[in-house]
Amino acid sequence: MAISDWRRYISTQELLPPRPHVVDAHLFLGDNGRNKVAVDIACGTGRDTLYLLEKGYQVYAFDKDISSLERLSTHPLACSNPSLDLQLSLFEEYPFPKANMINASACLFFCKPNEFSILWHNIDTALDVNGIFCGHFLGTNNADVDIHTDQPILTHSHEDIETLLKKYYIISWKVKKEYSAQLTNKKQRWLVNTLIAMKK
């Protein structure tokens, strides 16, 4: 999905299929979600949450946007489903359960650096050994974007991602180049890193 689409899908994502890397992560775990726990970070209206419920996971999903959660909660698969725990929460405040899969799709780059540090620690602590992390990191080659400054979008270099995942086996790492002003109102070359990794 192009960067320019990522804000637009917030209002329409209930119409979209699950993201391919979430499907791949599920298949890597053995194509059986029974007795497995998944966390969907910034779940929105639930395109990935609903897929994981369909596959039999106990799903813990959260978002800071109450309208998206309300829309998700009315879906027939989510409504009164005992396999879904849905919460209104900020990234850094969510109480993660122990999990076999944690999905952080199209959301990490909206964290502030201090929020991300807390969030990543919580992800790493919650994920079981042999558990799967999947999600997106946003990178850039532009010198005017620095993750240590107060930028509206959090970016990670290739080396940053390698450091974050040093305790993980990389199953898949796909990089897509985009040129867009959608996120910062200034055209920049972004690198969309889509990862699937297994905790050692």
Side-chain angles (χ1 to χ4, degrees):
M1 184 186 303
I3 291 286
S4 59
D5 295 331
W6 284 12
R7 286 191 186 275
R8 187 163 59 249
Y9 83 63
I10 292 173
S11 63
T12 61
Q13 61 179 306
E14 75 274 18
L15 304 176
L16 297 177
R19 296 175 176 87
H21 63 271
V22 175
V23 176
D24 290 344
H26 162 66
L27 293 174
F28 189 85
L29 278 175
D31 194 24
N32 182 4
R34 188 179 300 276
N35 299 321
K36 291 187 176 73
V37 172
V39 179
D40 192 9
I41 299 172
C43 61
T45 53
R47 60 182 292 189
D48 296 329
T49 297
L50 296 172
Y51 171 78
L52 294 168
L53 285 171
E54 271 189 330
K55 295 302 179 182
Y57 290 82
Q58 175 71 41
V59 181
Y60 294 81
F62 72 95
D63 202 288
K64 69 176 183 179
D65 181 52
I66 192 167
S67 62
S68 293
L69 294 176
E70 288 173 344
R71 290 163 67 185
L72 171 56
S73 68
T74 62
H75 190 282
L77 190 58
C79 182
S80 301
N81 190 332
S83 294
L84 176 62
D85 183 279
L86 201 57
Q87 292 192 34
L88 179 69
S89 180
L90 299 174
F91 288 122
E92 70 276 18
E93 295 179 357
Y94 184 71
F96 280 80
K98 296 296 289 184
N100 305 101
M101 183 196 299
I102 297 180
N103 174 39
S105 296
C107 64
L108 296 179
F109 44 83
F110 291 118
C111 287
K112 295 179 180 178
N114 62 319
E115 295 170 351
F116 178 82
S117 296
I118 297 169
L119 175 63
W120 186 254
H121 171 78
N122 292 340
I123 289 171
D124 186 60
T125 301
L127 194 61
D128 287 335
V129 172
N130 298 325
I132 299 296
F133 167 83
C134 61
H136 297 111
F137 291 91
L138 198 61
T140 179
N141 289 327
N142 289 2
D144 59 345
V145 176
D146 185 340
I147 64 170
H148 303 296
T149 62
D150 189 21
Q151 294 288 335
I153 298 300
L154 181 67
T155 61
H156 291 87
S157 69
H158 187 96
E159 292 76 17
D160 292 332
I161 298 170
E162 286 183 327
T163 299
L164 288 169
L165 296 175
K166 64 184 178 181
K167 296 191 295 183
Y168 292 73
Y169 298 109
I170 304 298
I171 298 166
S172 174
W173 188 340
K174 298 177 181 178
V175 181
K176 184 177 180 181
K177 296 180 180 179
E178 300 287 350
Y179 186 56
S180 172
Q182 184 69 24
L183 295 177
T184 60
N185 295 319
K186 176 184 176 183
K187 280 200 171 183
Q188 294 181 222
R189 290 177 174 83
W190 303 102
L191 302 176
V192 184
N193 296 272
T194 302
L195 284 109
I196 303 173
M198 181 175 72
K199 189 174 181 181
K200 296 178 181 178

